[in-house]
Amino acid sequence: AHGAAGGRVDMLAYQTHFNDLAAYGFVVIAPKSCFMGCSPPANATKLSSTGSCLPWTDGSQWTSFVHENTRAIEYAKVSSEAWATMIDWSAGIGVAGHSMGGEVVSQMGSIQFAEQYQVKAVVCEHCQMCEVDGTAIATPAMFMTGTGDYEVMPRQVKGAYQEDSATPKSFRNEKGRGHMEMLNLLVQYNPAVASHVAAFFKVHVAGDTDVFYKQVY
């Protein structure tokens, strides 16, 4: 799930990250979606914001951004495209979100969405969650940030990690890394982000207990 100001041509900046995730054997579904959150579908339950979003955003649109991502999953399940037929739905899915997409992560890991879509693990990449009360996420979760992130401060991501009551959970704060380390912008890209995400999914979606388990834990 992309971040704020993403979803249009900016999706190209995520391409290396997507390619690196796919290299681990995952089918990557990344909707090219809303610029700054989405208006909720007409029949959707209205989700509230607790005010943790950035001051200049519409929290209600950030919280309803999750529906764009569930629609992408539903599309993939009925698609006859070659990439869709490669998905092992019985294994469940892992969900990763960057910045604004972190709100998607927190909701997709909740009981409401996780049971319906078989979400087994979530990864927050420098994520800005609007609803952080410690009860949203019910699956294993990894929270990633960096000391050089001045958009979503490390203390915000760590706060979400500390509030998360589900276990197991992991927190990573890499020295010097900024908010955009998963985007292929000049020298900024950090392949370790995809490596950590893939390892977490290998453990909690694919059931690995060896190489990837050791990497995470």
Side-chain angles (χ1 to χ4, degrees), residues 11-208:
M11 287 297 281
L12 294 173
Y14 287 97
Q15 194 60 54
T16 302
H17 185 48
F18 297 156
N19 291 346
D20 284 353
L21 289 171
Y24 286 90
F26 293 107
V27 176
V28 179
I29 303 171
K32 185 178 180 181
S33 190
C34 310
F35 184 75
M36 197 69 71
C38 310
S39 297
N43 61 345
T45 301
K46 183 171 176 59
L47 300 166
S48 63
S49 171
T50 58
S52 297
C53 289
L54 298 177
W56 39 267
T57 65
D58 183 342
S60 62
Q61 290 194 350
W62 278 38
T63 54
S64 62
F65 182 37
V66 65
H67 296 293
E68 293 293 292
N69 292 266
T70 58
R71 290 200 307 173
I73 295 170
E74 290 163 357
Y75 167 78
K77 285 186 173 181
V78 299
S79 174
S80 59
E81 296 287 341
W83 59 266
T85 62
M86 297 170 62
I87 301 174
D88 178 10
W89 292 108
S90 66
I93 66 172
V95 182
H98 171 223
S99 196
M100 179 180 72
E103 180 59 32
V104 173
V105 165
S106 65
Q107 292 187 54
M108 290 295 288
S110 70
I111 292 176
Q112 175 188 356
F113 287 97
E115 290 183 351
Q116 181 176 355
Y117 294 99
Q118 292 183 285
V119 177
K120 299 295 182 64
V122 299
V123 177
C124 145
E125 301 176 358
H126 297 255
C127 60
Q128 178 71 38
M129 296 181 184
C130 297
E131 300 183 282
V132 183
D133 62 2
T135 62
I137 300 176
T139 67
M142 174 179 279
F143 298 78
M144 307 173 72
T145 185
T147 61
D149 190 340
Y150 302 105
E151 284 79 18
V152 179
M153 303 298 287
R155 60 178 172 78
Q156 293 175 274
V157 180
K158 189 171 185 178
Y161 163 76
Q162 292 172 329
E163 288 288 335
D164 181 16
S165 59
T167 57
K169 60 181 181 179
S170 300
F171 176 73
R172 165 269 204 190
N173 183 9
E174 186 164 342
K175 185 175 181 180
R177 292 295 181 178
H179 191 66
M180 307 294 188
E181 63 173 326
M182 73 296 301
L183 304 184
N184 48 297
L185 304 173
L186 301 177
V187 298
Q188 185 169 260
Y189 182 70
N190 181 12
V193 177
S195 177
H196 294 328
V197 173
F200 199 74
F201 289 167
K202 286 287 188 180
V203 172
H204 294 291
V205 178
D208 180 83

